[in-house]
Amino acid sequence: MDEVRKQTRRYYQTALPEGTQTAYLVLDGDRLAGAGGVSFFRIMPTYHNPSGQRAYIMNMYTRPEYRRRGIARKTLSLLVQEAGSRGVTAVSLEATAMGRPLYEKYGFVGMEHEMELPEGFQAREAAALDFPPPPL
């Protein structure tokens, strides 16, 4: 986790000033009650997303003793509004089992066609599938 903390700090030091990340901290006095963030990035434009602008919501969290008070919903709403204010219409996230009901109630829908290459695939599987490793 030390490496994750180090890289997260480095990420925020760059992304916040650049405007490619917005983060909300929900405080109760000086105590953290919840948090959420949204990353902004661009992909090649498509028919469904002509601008190529995308937003990815992440790090949604509410302390257990603050749950069921609307904190996550309000944070999610602020993040989606931030994306909208930037003209971003393609917003996605990964949902945990706990978060899924909130996201579905908000209007997010599951994606049927997206796939992900497992971590370490190139090192483990490329040789087994007889694919040459990608150039570095």
Side-chain angles (χ1 to χ4, degrees):
M1 286 305 293
D2 287 340
E3 184 63 20
V4 172
R5 284 186 186 98
K6 179 178 142 187
Q7 293 301 328
T8 299
R9 180 178 297 275
R10 177 185 270 162
Y11 171 80
Y12 278 116
Q13 287 173 334
T14 302
L16 289 173
E18 288 178 350
T20 57
Q21 174 79 24
T22 297
Y24 286 99
L25 301 177
V26 180
L27 301 174
D28 181 7
D30 62 354
R31 181 172 168 83
L32 179 69
V38 58
S39 293
F40 298 98
F41 59 99
R42 187 160 187 222
I43 62 169
M44 188 173 136
T46 66
Y47 174 78
H48 296 291
N49 184 6
S51 73
Q53 298 295 328
R54 294 194 54 88
Y56 185 79
I57 293 175
M58 57 199 315
N59 297 331
M60 292 287 295
Y61 176 75
T62 305
R63 278 188 189 272
E65 61 270 29
Y66 290 95
R67 292 181 183 155
R68 312 297 305 164
R69 297 185 190 183
I71 291 172
R73 181 170 179 76
K74 179 63 176 178
T75 303
L76 179 62
S77 182
L78 289 168
L79 297 170
V80 171
Q81 288 173 24
E82 175 71 18
S85 75
R86 295 174 181 226
V88 177
T89 57
V91 180
S92 60
L93 54 76
E94 285 184 42
T96 62
M98 185 184 300
R100 185 171 294 279
L102 167 68
Y103 304 134
E104 288 174 344
K105 188 173 183 180
Y106 195 89
F108 283 85
V109 295
M111 296 169 31
E112 295 180 34
H113 302 290
E114 188 156 315
M115 299 176 76
E116 181 176 73
L117 191 61
E119 184 179 330
F121 172 83
Q122 292 173 338
R124 276 193 329 267
E125 303 294 325
L129 295 174
D130 201 29
F131 290 144
L136 296 177

